[in-house]
Amino acid sequence: MPQRIAVLSDVHGVLPALEAVLAEPDVAGADVVVVTGDLAAGPQPAQVLDRLAALGDRGLLVRGNADRDLVTIAGGGEPPEGTPPVDLWAAAQLSDSHVATLAALPHPVVLTLDGAGDVLFCHGTPRDDNEVVLVDTRLSRWHEVLADVPASVRTVVCGHTHMPFARLLDRRWVVNSGSVGMPYGSTGLPWALLTAAGIQLRTTPVDADALADAVVAASSFPDVAEWADTYVRRPLGDTVAVTAFAPRDGRDAGWDD
């Protein structure tokens, strides 16, 4: 039964960002490192999957919507509408072993944290890896997406929207650790640490320009410089991201509190 769980999410194929967070003492010393989806859809897909595989039994990888999409594309299926060009490119970089790894990812996953009880890890929501919920999503929507979560689960940890938060909902904690590879609004690389003492939202300081330069130097994605400028060197602000995501959380469909 783990006593310390480090949570990362949405690495999106950015190896130097992943390496920076994995080097944090509290991540390196965690009993389990959980990565809640969207592992490889980005400029260094194979390298990130290889680095996560090196975690061995300490690593627990959860499926994200972009992971599903890479499997579909790599298998010759029709890409979902609006698939970013970097995802199309990334799917072509994966070996059969990488694709098999992504195809086998579970969603959701429950672990028992020593002294704190059951923790559910998912990507979007426990029922759908592509569903959007935000820190200010209405209570009625939260109640709906968590309706089938067992009462024994006292903490739900998600990803997908790239913005860290922690909130209470009917005496249950809901946490988003933010995005390691494409952080929205963070001044560093966000992640979380879970122990019996509580939930800590952490940030790894980083030189965004140096990080972007490292990605550009290491990736063969044709438009990597533009991608790195947009998502690493000058990442989106949280207010912009919340505004963009907001229509997808049901608030425009007349949900009541």
Side-chain angles (χ1 to χ4, degrees):
M1 188 180 299
Q3 296 182 328
R4 300 169 67 83
I5 300 176
V7 185
L8 290 59
S9 193
D10 294 272
V11 179
H12 279 284
V14 181
L15 182 63
L18 174 62
E19 293 281 19
V21 175
L22 291 178
E24 287 278 8
D26 281 335
V27 178
D31 300 305
V32 181
V33 177
V34 180
V35 188
T36 56
D38 284 8
L39 315 177
Q44 296 171 276
Q47 297 93 323
V48 161
L49 289 176
D50 290 343
R51 181 64 183 89
L52 292 173
L55 293 172
D57 292 340
R58 290 183 60 242
L60 175 58
L61 311 181
V62 180
R63 187 191 74 225
N65 61 296
D67 303 313
R68 277 193 299 105
D69 292 346
L70 289 187
V71 172
T72 297
I73 298 164
E78 185 70 21
E81 183 178 354
T83 298
V86 71
D87 292 17
L88 299 175
W89 174 87
Q93 312 310 306
L94 301 179
S95 68
D96 291 344
S97 177
H98 292 138
V99 174
T101 294
L102 293 177
L105 294 178
H107 184 279
V109 175
V110 176
L111 291 180
T112 302
L113 177 62
D114 190 21
D118 289 349
V119 182
L120 184 149
F121 300 91
C122 60
H123 187 62
T125 69
R127 66 181 185 176
D128 184 341
D129 61 26
N130 198 32
E131 190 166 35
V132 168
V133 280
L134 303 167
V135 66
D136 64 339
T137 292
R138 294 187 176 197
L139 291 177
S140 57
R141 182 66 159 185
W142 276 111
H143 288 146
E144 180 193 356
V145 302
L146 300 179
D148 295 329
V149 175
S152 62
V153 172
R154 304 316 306 158
T155 305
V156 175
V157 182
C158 55
H160 191 39
T161 59
H162 297 208
M163 293 168 286
F165 68 79
R167 65 166 292 174
L168 278 170
L169 184 73
D170 288 343
R171 303 183 182 181
R172 173 187 275 153
W173 280 106
V174 181
V175 182
N176 190 316
S177 67
S179 171
V180 169
M182 297 168 62
Y184 293 165
S186 301
T187 55
L189 309 177
W191 53 283
L193 182 68
L194 310 182
T195 69
I199 298 157
Q200 300 178 41
L201 296 179
R202 299 282 194 88
T203 301
T204 297
V206 68
D207 182 327
D209 286 327
L211 183 62
D213 290 344
V215 173
V216 172
S219 175
S220 61
F221 174 51
D223 297 321
V224 66
E226 180 181 357
W227 189 95
D229 283 347
T230 301
Y231 295 109
V232 179
R233 201 181 306 276
R234 293 182 294 275
L236 295 174
D238 54 290
T239 54
V240 173
V242 167
T243 301
F245 277 123
R248 293 178 55 190
D249 79 345
R251 68 186 64 193
D252 292 343
W255 296 97
D256 296 322
D257 283 333

